[in-house]
Amino acid sequence: MRLEYFEMIDRVTRLDRDGRRIEATSTVPLESPVFEGHFPGHPLVPGVLLTETMAQASGYLVLGLMDFTHMPFLMGVDKARFRTFVGPGTVLGVAAQLEHEGSGYAVTKARITAEGKPVCDAELRFRIMPFPAGMDELMRAQGRRIGLLTGAA
Amino acid sequence: MSSTFETVAGIISETADIPREQITPESHAIEDLGIDSLAFLDIAFAIDKAFGIKLPLEQWTQEVNEGKAPAEEYFVLKNLVAHIDALIAAKAAS
């Protein structure tokens, strides 16, 4: 988790094309300016960043399944639930499942766990659009960096 | 009016927070009901789920943008419902 760059996923460990599912890992940094304000003396990962983590895992799932032909943009979050606190240094497991692939949009269900216990889950909706100019190569490079292009099953 | 229309009107009312009585078969989803493109994707998801179909929104949008079909063809509700009924029938026949 590179909070300074808003890169929430460290590594894709599995992309299951048939099961339309992705699994990834993300480790919360020990220190970050985020923790100075959230909260002073009691550092916790904000729920909005956990939501972003689920969204990025879902986005990589859609990118992988669509072979980087289109870009998913987050358009909706439903039924988000935050079940426990996440502090610095926590190792997170992130999973997302494609629930529905519509025309021009996709819907996933995503979940974060820590040591096998549920942290949060949500239903996420994405608008699927052509890549803005030049963005596809950058996203492919990012996919390679986190193992998306090598973790496919 | 058909049960398809009633289902679609209910979905639009709930998803876009529009009073049900404002939604008629003659309503234009964009011009009369003020539904924007993102909200329409939410509605499409609910319609897809309700009827087990996949609305070809990208194809429809392309046809409208290229002038091959008027927007009314897909976004006036009675026409939208007719397309949904056709998709349901095609699915049943396949």
Side-chain angles (χ1 to χ4, degrees):
Chain A
M1 188 178 279
R2 301 205 307 163
L3 288 176
E4 297 82 359
Y5 296 92
F6 232 66
E7 292 175 359
M8 315 306 285
I9 300 298
D10 295 336
R11 195 78 190 159
V12 172
T13 53
R14 181 174 171 82
L15 174 64
D16 179 354
R17 291 181 180 277
D18 292 337
R20 308 200 301 178
R21 177 181 169 84
I22 196 170
E23 295 172 8
T25 59
S26 182
T27 299
V28 180
L30 291 172
E31 296 181 2
S32 167
V34 168
F35 297 134
E36 295 172 17
H38 195 281
F39 298 97
H42 190 59
L44 294 175
V45 179
V48 68
L49 294 182
L50 294 171
T51 304
E52 177 65 20
T53 303
M54 292 189 285
Q56 290 192 12
S58 299
Y60 286 128
L61 171 63
V62 174
L63 276 171
L65 293 179
M66 299 185 75
D67 293 322
F68 287 80
T69 57
H70 288 73
M71 181 69 189
F73 293 96
L74 183 63
M75 62 173 267
V77 179
D78 285 332
K79 302 173 187 170
R81 297 289 184 273
F82 304 90
R83 303 172 191 282
T84 189
F85 298 132
V86 175
T90 305
V91 179
L92 301 173
V94 192
Q97 176 87 36
L98 185 67
E99 288 292 303
H100 182 76
E101 184 181 1
S103 176
Y105 73 98
V107 182
T108 69
K109 284 186 177 174
R111 166 172 287 206
I112 294 178
T113 57
E115 295 183 342
K117 296 178 181 174
V119 169
C120 59
D121 46 81
E123 181 181 285
L124 304 152
R125 220 164 301 172
F126 296 83
R127 187 175 191 173
I128 308 296
M129 301 179 71
F131 274 108
M135 189 180 177
D136 54 341
E137 277 309 312
L138 294 172
M139 290 308 298
R140 281 181 189 276
Q142 176 71 354
R144 280 191 290 273
R145 190 182 73 76
I146 64 170
L148 176 61
L149 298 176
T150 56
Chain B
M1 200 16 65
S2 72
S3 62
T4 303
F5 172 78
E6 293 301 332
T7 302
V8 170
I11 286 170
I12 290 173
S13 175
E14 185 174 335
T15 306
D17 198 21
I18 296 169
R20 172 64 186 83
E21 60 271 17
Q22 288 185 16
I23 303 169
T24 73
E26 306 299 329
S27 300
H28 191 300
I30 300 165
E31 294 176 5
D32 297 330
L33 303 178
I35 297 169
D36 63 29
S37 58
L38 281 184
F40 203 84
L41 289 179
D42 285 336
I43 290 166
F45 175 45
I47 290 174
D48 284 1
K49 276 207 312 185
F51 297 107
I53 58 174
K54 181 172 173 177
L55 290 185
L57 285 180
E58 288 180 304
Q59 176 193 327
W60 291 355
T61 303
Q62 187 175 349
E63 289 178 18
V64 171
N65 289 343
E66 293 176 352
K68 295 178 179 174
E72 293 76 14
E73 175 67 24
Y74 301 116
F75 297 108
V76 167
L77 294 196
K78 64 180 180 183
N79 298 334
L80 174 64
V81 165
H83 285 290
I84 291 170
D85 283 336
L87 289 166
I88 294 169
K91 184 190 174 196
S94 66

